[in-house]
Amino acid sequence: MTNPRAWQYDETMFSGVDFSQAEEVAAYDDMHSKFRDYAKASDEIIQRLSLTSDSTVIDLGCGTGAFALHAAKRCRTIYAVDISAAMLDYCRRRAEQLGLTNIIFRNGGLLTYEHGDELADAAVCVAVLHHLPDFWKQVALKRCCEMLKPGGRFLLFDIVFPSGRDCLDEIDQWLKAFETIVDARLAEEALIHVKNEFSTYDWIIEGIIRRSGFQIDTAEYSKGFQALYICTKR
Ligand SMILES: C[S@@+](CC[C@H](N)C(=O)[O-])C[C@H]1O[C@@H](n2cnc3c(N)ncnc32)[C@H](O)[C@@H]1O
């Protein structure tokens, strides 16, 4: 991982939850399995991106392998990329346990990963982009676009705030709901997310996606500030 400019944002410095810490990695799947079904969500991604057994897919910010480990059973090659060596090691160990041999692990970030191999059919970026300030989000998505074949597909999922309504009270309720539905630890992580990380407005994300070389095929905003964008490289 090289950082060509002294002023480039240092993506190894986590502004919020520090995923380089072993304790965060160890707790991740237990906490997330309380409100996510990795297999079901991965099947939906595969279907939404029309991925096949011949597809190559880059999972940017793969984490513990929520998508990569499932997608590897359905696609030809998965590039599992993460800035956290600890997350990537965990994902690699899980892949070994599952006997998956078609995942290529790369320690790198949205701003630093160099995809030297063949252009990919698709990329996914789930709950990662909010780690970068807005200026760097566009740098990241342009880089992502360049890793894809013409017509390549891209799925972006993240927490995005609605610009059309005042959502400050809604954020209060949202944070309280984490404590009720999941647990106090996730509620604390959600608070850190809002306070210190870089989730931004819908119009900013949509503008960034378009200016990075993608067309947005669908933009879906659902409960809990969740946003899902299905895109195609123009
Ligand atoms: C909330 S987790 C999401 C992991 C996974 N995508 C999922 O769906 O569970 C965020 C992940 O993004 C990684 N990450 C944070 N900033 C990153 C960056 N700039 N480039 C690549 N990965 C990054 C973290 O190390 C962590 O594994």
Side-chain angles (χ1 to χ4, degrees):
M1 270 187 290
T2 52
N3 199 344
R5 296 181 176 92
W7 47 266
Q8 175 154 316
Y9 184 75
D10 184 357
E11 53 189 344
T12 63
M13 298 288 294
F14 290 93
S15 55
V17 178
D18 185 350
F19 288 109
S20 67
Q21 296 303 308
E23 193 218 341
E24 287 297 340
V25 179
Y28 192 88
D29 281 345
D30 275 351
M31 197 160 57
H32 280 243
S33 60
K34 290 180 183 158
F35 66 101
R36 294 171 68 185
D37 181 336
Y38 290 165
K40 186 163 171 261
S42 301
D43 284 345
E44 278 170 20
I45 293 174
I46 286 166
Q47 190 243 321
R48 298 292 297 266
L49 295 181
S50 308
L51 301 177
T52 69
S53 56
D54 203 31
S55 302
T56 57
V57 188
I58 306 173
D59 185 1
L60 291 165
C62 63
T64 55
F67 172 72
L69 297 172
H70 292 277
K73 295 173 193 157
R74 306 270 305 276
C75 299
R76 177 155 58 92
T77 306
I78 308 296
Y79 292 86
V81 179
D82 204 286
I83 195 73
S84 159
M87 275 293 201
L88 207 61
D89 283 348
Y90 179 98
C91 186
R92 189 186 287 109
R93 281 197 304 276
R94 291 285 298 124
E96 282 165 10
Q97 286 163 5
L98 294 168
L100 298 168
T101 54
N102 57 338
I103 306 181
I104 297 173
F105 295 92
R106 299 263 170 91
N107 187 203
L110 291 166
L111 302 177
T112 46
Y113 170 59
E114 297 290 347
H115 187 68
D117 295 359
E118 59 171 334
L119 296 179
D121 296 299
V124 305
C125 188
V126 175
V128 184
L129 195 64
H130 67 268
H131 287 285
L132 296 179
D134 287 356
F135 174 82
W136 295 104
K137 287 186 178 77
Q138 183 160 312
V139 176
L141 292 199
K142 275 189 170 171
R143 298 183 86 257
C144 169
C145 194
E146 284 163 8
M147 296 172 202
L148 301 181
K149 292 176 183 166
R153 311 298 308 283
F154 176 51
L155 181 143
L156 175 69
F157 174 90
D158 218 319
I159 299 300
V160 171
F161 297 119
S163 52
R165 58 182 197 268
D166 181 354
C167 58
L168 298 184
D169 290 338
E170 263 180 72
I171 292 175
D172 278 337
Q173 290 154 17
W174 182 64
L175 295 177
K176 280 197 197 102
F178 276 110
E179 191 144 1
T180 322
I181 298 165
V182 188
D183 58 24
R185 181 173 177 147
L186 193 75
E188 178 61 20
E189 293 212 349
L191 185 146
I192 291 169
H193 181 122
V194 179
K195 193 172 175 185
N196 297 337
E197 298 178 2
F198 303 104
S199 271
T200 190
Y201 286 114
D202 45 12
W203 63 274
I204 295 178
I205 289 288
E206 290 188 17
I208 286 174
I209 294 172
R210 292 199 175 96
R211 285 164 181 79
S212 300
F214 292 105
Q215 77 179 34
I216 298 178
D217 301 321
T218 59
E220 295 163 27
Y221 298 98
S222 52
K223 235 173 46 173
F225 306 117
Q226 297 180 59
L228 176 73
Y229 306 93
I230 309 286
C231 312
T232 303
K233 178 173 177 166
R234 284 199 307 267

